[in-house]
Amino acid sequence: GLDFLLKIHLLSLILFFVFSVTGFTFSLRTFELLSIIQIILYPLLIDCFPKKSKLFGYAIVIVTSVLFFYYNIYVSENFKDYSSWLF
């Protein structure tokens, strides 16, 4: 299972770089479509560690999630203050 998911994720990266020269929009959409696998791959990272150091795997997943959350909220400014042309 994990090998197949990693191959799909690698395929999304390859398609992104191959099509980014000719059609950036197409390459971005195919990358986003196939990289949804990351939702499954990040929690599977916990199983890569032995039982004694599973806490390290949990820490990696939590820190990665917090960094993604911080980037999406504050850096990319997806949620901006409301503004209108009227006021």
Side-chain angles (χ1 to χ4, degrees):
L2 182 63
D3 293 339
F4 182 67
L5 296 175
L6 286 173
K7 287 178 184 177
I8 291 175
H9 185 59
L10 184 63
L11 178 67
S12 72
L13 289 171
I14 290 170
L15 288 175
F16 176 73
F17 287 114
V18 166
F19 291 126
S20 65
V21 177
T22 57
F24 184 71
T25 304
F26 181 71
S27 71
L28 190 62
R29 297 300 179 214
T30 55
F31 173 73
E32 288 176 349
L33 178 70
L34 294 176
S35 67
I36 198 72
I37 298 296
Q38 290 177 357
I39 294 173
I40 300 169
L41 283 177
Y42 280 122
L44 284 178
L45 184 66
I46 297 169
D47 292 335
C48 293
F49 294 98
K51 285 200 175 226
K52 286 188 173 182
S53 58
K54 282 224 189 247
L55 189 61
F56 187 66
Y58 281 109
I60 290 175
V61 171
I62 290 171
V63 166
T64 305
S65 301
V66 168
L67 287 175
F68 281 152
F69 182 78
Y70 175 78
Y71 177 79
N72 284 329
I73 299 297
Y74 298 110
V75 176
S76 67
E77 296 179 353
N78 286 337
F79 298 103
K80 297 179 183 177
D81 291 334
Y82 179 75
S83 62
S84 172
W85 62 271
L86 187 57
F87 50 88

